[in-house]
Structures are given as structure tokens and as C-alpha cells.
Amino acid sequence: MVAAAPRYDSRIVDAVRRLDTREEALAEVCRRIGEAAWELELTRPSYVHLRRLLLEKRRREDAARERRRALLKLASDIERDLRRGRVVNAYEVAERVAEVREKWPV
């Protein structure tokens, strides 16, 4: 979550996680979150704040997906090398893992 964002009730943050789908426009997701807040008798969050939360959530999901992909590729490379009888240098593996973590922080 963005450090400067207002602190919303945890039920609003949960609604952001639960109701966000990439198939719908951000405005529609914000409307649905606003309706959920209204039903919970909470103040309806502003579009600007919800948009920020949604974009950050999606950025984290994208980073996690790319990180997972890169780590799976690394594991596949290691497995291929081991099957071919090559020696796998643990220090090189640790360095590549660190590069992946740096490139796609979660």
C-alpha cells in the first residue's frame, strides 16, 4: 500500500483485493468497491484514492508474476544443467536469485 495513502478500514482494503478484476475498467471496480463500502455503512472512498490502491495492487501482482516466471526459468536452467552432468555453481545461482529479487521486488 502507498505510504501516503489515507488509512482505510480493513474491510475496504479487503474489498479492493476481492473485487478487483482485470477484465473491468478501474472506474467500474471503484464503483463496486464504493457500493460495498456503502453496504458496510462505511464512508465511500474517493475514486482517486481507490485508483491509487488498485494500481499499486496490480503493480505488485505483475511484479510477483514476473518474479515467479524468472525464478521458474532459473530452476529450469539448473535442472537442465544437472541433467547434462554439468556442475552448478551455488554462488552463481544465489547471484541470479538476488538479481531477480532486485529487478522485481514484491
Side-chain angles (χ1 to χ4, degrees), residues 23-38:
E23 294 83 34
E24 295 180 330
L26 284 175
E28 180 57 34
V29 175
C30 289
R31 277 191 283 282
R32 291 194 303 127
I33 294 168
E35 290 170 8
W38 187 258

PDB file of all heavy atoms in Angstrom, residues 23-38:
ATOM      1  N   GLU A  23     -10.525  -7.613 -15.952  1.00  0.00           N
ATOM      2  CA  GLU A  23     -11.422  -7.555 -17.104  1.00  0.00           C
ATOM      3  C   GLU A  23     -12.250  -6.279 -17.104  1.00  0.00           C
ATOM      4  O   GLU A  23     -12.817  -5.906 -18.126  1.00  0.00           O
ATOM      5  CB  GLU A  23     -12.372  -8.766 -17.114  1.00  0.00           C
ATOM      6  CG  GLU A  23     -11.670 -10.092 -17.342  1.00  0.00           C
ATOM      7  CD  GLU A  23     -11.068 -10.664 -16.066  1.00  0.00           C
ATOM      8  OE1 GLU A  23     -11.657 -10.465 -14.977  1.00  0.00           O
ATOM      9  OE2 GLU A  23     -10.009 -11.293 -16.147  1.00  0.00           O
ATOM     10  N   GLU A  24     -12.358  -5.619 -15.959  1.00  0.00           N
ATOM     11  CA  GLU A  24     -13.181  -4.415 -15.857  1.00  0.00           C
ATOM     12  C   GLU A  24     -12.311  -3.180 -15.755  1.00  0.00           C
ATOM     13  O   GLU A  24     -11.182  -3.237 -15.274  1.00  0.00           O
ATOM     14  CB  GLU A  24     -14.076  -4.490 -14.623  1.00  0.00           C
ATOM     15  CG  GLU A  24     -15.105  -5.588 -14.691  1.00  0.00           C
ATOM     16  CD  GLU A  24     -15.955  -5.624 -13.449  1.00  0.00           C
ATOM     17  OE1 GLU A  24     -15.468  -5.249 -12.370  1.00  0.00           O
ATOM     18  OE2 GLU A  24     -17.110  -6.038 -13.566  1.00  0.00           O
ATOM     19  N   ALA A  25     -12.876  -2.065 -16.174  1.00  0.00           N
ATOM     20  CA  ALA A  25     -12.180  -0.780 -16.070  1.00  0.00           C
ATOM     21  C   ALA A  25     -12.040  -0.402 -14.596  1.00  0.00           C
ATOM     22  O   ALA A  25     -12.834  -0.825 -13.751  1.00  0.00           O
ATOM     23  CB  ALA A  25     -12.968   0.285 -16.803  1.00  0.00           C
ATOM     24  N   LEU A  26     -11.012   0.392 -14.298  1.00  0.00           N
ATOM     25  CA  LEU A  26     -10.788   0.834 -12.921  1.00  0.00           C
ATOM     26  C   LEU A  26     -12.002   1.567 -12.366  1.00  0.00           C
ATOM     27  O   LEU A  26     -12.366   1.385 -11.204  1.00  0.00           O
ATOM     28  CB  LEU A  26      -9.561   1.751 -12.849  1.00  0.00           C
ATOM     29  CG  LEU A  26      -8.206   1.071 -12.929  1.00  0.00           C
ATOM     30  CD1 LEU A  26      -7.103   2.117 -12.979  1.00  0.00           C
ATOM     31  CD2 LEU A  26      -7.986   0.144 -11.770  1.00  0.00           C
ATOM     32  N   ALA A  27     -12.641   2.372 -13.177  1.00  0.00           N
ATOM     33  CA  ALA A  27     -13.805   3.125 -12.709  1.00  0.00           C
ATOM     34  C   ALA A  27     -14.921   2.190 -12.260  1.00  0.00           C
ATOM     35  O   ALA A  27     -15.556   2.433 -11.226  1.00  0.00           O
ATOM     36  CB  ALA A  27     -14.306   4.058 -13.807  1.00  0.00           C
ATOM     37  N   GLU A  28     -15.145   1.114 -12.995  1.00  0.00           N
ATOM     38  CA  GLU A  28     -16.193   0.162 -12.615  1.00  0.00           C
ATOM     39  C   GLU A  28     -15.833  -0.551 -11.318  1.00  0.00           C
ATOM     40  O   GLU A  28     -16.682  -0.758 -10.448  1.00  0.00           O
ATOM     41  CB  GLU A  28     -16.426  -0.849 -13.740  1.00  0.00           C
ATOM     42  CG  GLU A  28     -17.498  -1.865 -13.432  1.00  0.00           C
ATOM     43  CD  GLU A  28     -18.853  -1.244 -13.097  1.00  0.00           C
ATOM     44  OE1 GLU A  28     -19.191  -0.191 -13.662  1.00  0.00           O
ATOM     45  OE2 GLU A  28     -19.567  -1.821 -12.249  1.00  0.00           O
ATOM     46  N   VAL A  29     -14.583  -0.940 -11.167  1.00  0.00           N
ATOM     47  CA  VAL A  29     -14.143  -1.584  -9.933  1.00  0.00           C
ATOM     48  C   VAL A  29     -14.312  -0.615  -8.760  1.00  0.00           C
ATOM     49  O   VAL A  29     -14.784  -1.003  -7.686  1.00  0.00           O
ATOM     50  CB  VAL A  29     -12.679  -2.070 -10.047  1.00  0.00           C
ATOM     51  CG1 VAL A  29     -12.189  -2.637  -8.724  1.00  0.00           C
ATOM     52  CG2 VAL A  29     -12.535  -3.105 -11.153  1.00  0.00           C
ATOM     53  N   CYS A  30     -13.973   0.649  -8.969  1.00  0.00           N
ATOM     54  CA  CYS A  30     -14.132   1.658  -7.914  1.00  0.00           C
ATOM     55  C   CYS A  30     -15.597   1.823  -7.537  1.00  0.00           C
ATOM     56  O   CYS A  30     -15.921   1.967  -6.345  1.00  0.00           O
ATOM     57  CB  CYS A  30     -13.542   2.994  -8.358  1.00  0.00           C
ATOM     58  SG  CYS A  30     -11.742   2.980  -8.439  1.00  0.00           S
ATOM     59  N   ARG A  31     -16.488   1.768  -8.516  1.00  0.00           N
ATOM     60  CA  ARG A  31     -17.919   1.873  -8.214  1.00  0.00           C
ATOM     61  C   ARG A  31     -18.366   0.694  -7.351  1.00  0.00           C
ATOM     62  O   ARG A  31     -19.103   0.865  -6.383  1.00  0.00           O
ATOM     63  CB  ARG A  31     -18.741   1.922  -9.505  1.00  0.00           C
ATOM     64  CG  ARG A  31     -18.818   3.303 -10.118  1.00  0.00           C
ATOM     65  CD  ARG A  31     -19.857   3.352 -11.231  1.00  0.00           C
ATOM     66  NE  ARG A  31     -19.403   2.752 -12.474  1.00  0.00           N
ATOM     67  CZ  ARG A  31     -18.585   3.348 -13.340  1.00  0.00           C
ATOM     68  NH1 ARG A  31     -18.120   4.550 -13.102  1.00  0.00           N
ATOM     69  NH2 ARG A  31     -18.231   2.739 -14.442  1.00  0.00           N
ATOM     70  N   ARG A  32     -17.912  -0.498  -7.708  1.00  0.00           N
ATOM     71  CA  ARG A  32     -18.309  -1.684  -6.936  1.00  0.00           C
ATOM     72  C   ARG A  32     -17.743  -1.635  -5.520  1.00  0.00           C
ATOM     73  O   ARG A  32     -18.415  -2.026  -4.571  1.00  0.00           O
ATOM     74  CB  ARG A  32     -17.872  -2.955  -7.663  1.00  0.00           C
ATOM     75  CG  ARG A  32     -18.683  -3.162  -8.933  1.00  0.00           C
ATOM     76  CD  ARG A  32     -18.568  -4.537  -9.559  1.00  0.00           C
ATOM     77  NE  ARG A  32     -17.205  -4.913  -9.867  1.00  0.00           N
ATOM     78  CZ  ARG A  32     -16.626  -6.051  -9.455  1.00  0.00           C
ATOM     79  NH1 ARG A  32     -17.279  -6.904  -8.729  1.00  0.00           N
ATOM     80  NH2 ARG A  32     -15.392  -6.333  -9.789  1.00  0.00           N
ATOM     81  N   ILE A  33     -16.516  -1.158  -5.370  1.00  0.00           N
ATOM     82  CA  ILE A  33     -15.928  -1.023  -4.030  1.00  0.00           C
ATOM     83  C   ILE A  33     -16.703   0.029  -3.232  1.00  0.00           C
ATOM     84  O   ILE A  33     -16.973  -0.155  -2.038  1.00  0.00           O
ATOM     85  CB  ILE A  33     -14.437  -0.681  -4.118  1.00  0.00           C
ATOM     86  CG1 ILE A  33     -13.665  -1.854  -4.722  1.00  0.00           C
ATOM     87  CG2 ILE A  33     -13.880  -0.322  -2.737  1.00  0.00           C
ATOM     88  CD1 ILE A  33     -12.238  -1.533  -5.111  1.00  0.00           C
ATOM     89  N   GLY A  34     -17.074   1.116  -3.884  1.00  0.00           N
ATOM     90  CA  GLY A  34     -17.875   2.146  -3.228  1.00  0.00           C
ATOM     91  C   GLY A  34     -19.209   1.602  -2.753  1.00  0.00           C
ATOM     92  O   GLY A  34     -19.674   1.911  -1.647  1.00  0.00           O
ATOM     93  N   GLU A  35     -19.852   0.778  -3.572  1.00  0.00           N
ATOM     94  CA  GLU A  35     -21.124   0.157  -3.186  1.00  0.00           C
ATOM     95  C   GLU A  35     -20.926  -0.779  -1.999  1.00  0.00           C
ATOM     96  O   GLU A  35     -21.759  -0.814  -1.086  1.00  0.00           O
ATOM     97  CB  GLU A  35     -21.718  -0.601  -4.370  1.00  0.00           C
ATOM     98  CG  GLU A  35     -22.209   0.295  -5.475  1.00  0.00           C
ATOM     99  CD  GLU A  35     -22.570  -0.465  -6.737  1.00  0.00           C
ATOM    100  OE1 GLU A  35     -22.577  -1.723  -6.716  1.00  0.00           O
ATOM    101  OE2 GLU A  35     -22.842   0.188  -7.756  1.00  0.00           O
ATOM    102  N   ALA A  36     -19.824  -1.541  -2.018  1.00  0.00           N
ATOM    103  CA  ALA A  36     -19.539  -2.437  -0.891  1.00  0.00           C
ATOM    104  C   ALA A  36     -19.321  -1.627   0.385  1.00  0.00           C
ATOM    105  O   ALA A  36     -19.803  -2.014   1.460  1.00  0.00           O
ATOM    106  CB  ALA A  36     -18.312  -3.298  -1.200  1.00  0.00           C
ATOM    107  N   ALA A  37     -18.629  -0.506   0.282  1.00  0.00           N
ATOM    108  CA  ALA A  37     -18.399   0.349   1.449  1.00  0.00           C
ATOM    109  C   ALA A  37     -19.730   0.881   1.973  1.00  0.00           C
ATOM    110  O   ALA A  37     -19.963   0.924   3.189  1.00  0.00           O
ATOM    111  CB  ALA A  37     -17.464   1.499   1.089  1.00  0.00           C
ATOM    112  N   TRP A  38     -20.588   1.285   1.048  1.00  0.00           N
ATOM    113  CA  TRP A  38     -21.899   1.820   1.435  1.00  0.00           C
ATOM    114  C   TRP A  38     -22.705   0.756   2.185  1.00  0.00           C
ATOM    115  O   TRP A  38     -23.332   1.035   3.205  1.00  0.00           O
ATOM    116  CB  TRP A  38     -22.628   2.286   0.183  1.00  0.00           C
ATOM    117  CG  TRP A  38     -23.909   2.994   0.462  1.00  0.00           C
ATOM    118  CD1 TRP A  38     -25.163   2.482   0.358  1.00  0.00           C
ATOM    119  CD2 TRP A  38     -24.057   4.344   0.894  1.00  0.00           C
ATOM    120  NE1 TRP A  38     -26.077   3.430   0.693  1.00  0.00           N
ATOM    121  CE2 TRP A  38     -25.425   4.589   1.031  1.00  0.00           C
ATOM    122  CE3 TRP A  38     -23.153   5.371   1.164  1.00  0.00           C
ATOM    123  CZ2 TRP A  38     -25.923   5.812   1.429  1.00  0.00           C
ATOM    124  CZ3 TRP A  38     -23.649   6.590   1.566  1.00  0.00           C
ATOM    125  CH2 TRP A  38     -25.007   6.809   1.688  1.00  0.00           C
TER     126      TRP A  38
END
